[in-house]
Amino acid sequence: MSTGSTDEKMKVLVYSDDAATRAEVSQAIGRRPAADVPLVEIVECATEPKVHQWLGSGEIDVAILDGETQPAGGMGVARQAKDEVYDCPPICLIIARRDDRWLADWSKADAVVSQPLEPMILADTVADLMRRRNSTRLNAK
């Protein structure tokens, strides 16, 4: 479990083709989404190849993927990552419609949040995923 020390950081990837969505997610998470988790370093991505590069690097602790991103939506990216990335980090999927929840299940996402984003819900969700990553990471840093 994290000690919450000020030296510790976890990288959170935010994937969306919409800069406003990336900014909204970053602002909702803040520097530390909960008192018992490390500080957050946000890594923004607007393209699918960059997401796969980051996820494959082993440096990402939590990924937040926008299901509405074009041309490669977050659901397909999540499914591919869960199938192909060794020690894949927990993934939070942002969906626009409640009817998309079944697709989020198909994508193997670890958590789902709906638009419009509720900052407290997103921060709590990310903090939970950070805790999970701290306890399940296969390759120690």
Side-chain angles (χ1 to χ4, degrees):
M1 186 53 98
S2 169
T3 60
S5 81
T6 56
D7 295 346
E8 203 174 352
K9 279 192 178 181
M10 292 182 83
K11 285 188 180 175
V12 175
L13 181 138
V14 179
Y15 169 59
S16 179
D17 62 346
D18 183 351
T21 299
R22 293 193 308 269
E24 182 180 10
V25 168
S26 296
Q27 186 174 13
I29 296 168
R31 292 185 52 213
R32 179 177 280 157
D36 66 327
V37 298
L39 291 172
V40 167
E41 179 182 335
I42 299 289
V43 176
E44 290 189 16
C45 287
T47 65
E48 178 188 18
K50 201 65 174 169
V51 171
H52 290 300
Q53 180 182 353
W54 272 108
L55 291 176
S57 75
E59 295 180 47
I60 299 300
D61 296 296
V62 174
I64 303 169
L65 310 179
D66 181 358
E68 299 300 307
T69 298
Q70 295 295 325
M75 292 180 214
V77 172
R79 174 78 182 219
Q80 184 177 354
K82 288 295 186 176
D83 287 346
E84 298 177 3
V85 174
Y86 173 75
D87 194 24
C88 187
I91 294 175
C92 176
L93 190 61
I94 299 171
I95 61 172
R97 295 167 297 281
R98 286 184 187 209
D99 291 345
D100 288 341
R101 191 159 295 274
W102 75 271
L103 282 169
D105 290 341
W106 168 85
S107 76
K108 301 181 181 180
D110 299 278
V112 179
V113 295
S114 299
Q115 289 278 17
L117 290 178
E118 299 269 345
M120 291 298 291
I121 291 172
L122 182 58
D124 288 346
T125 300
V126 171
D128 287 344
L129 294 177
M130 290 171 72
R131 289 182 200 102
R132 183 184 311 178
R133 184 62 168 175
N134 268 340
S135 67
T136 63
R137 176 181 292 281
L138 294 179
N139 51 343
K141 282 188 170 182

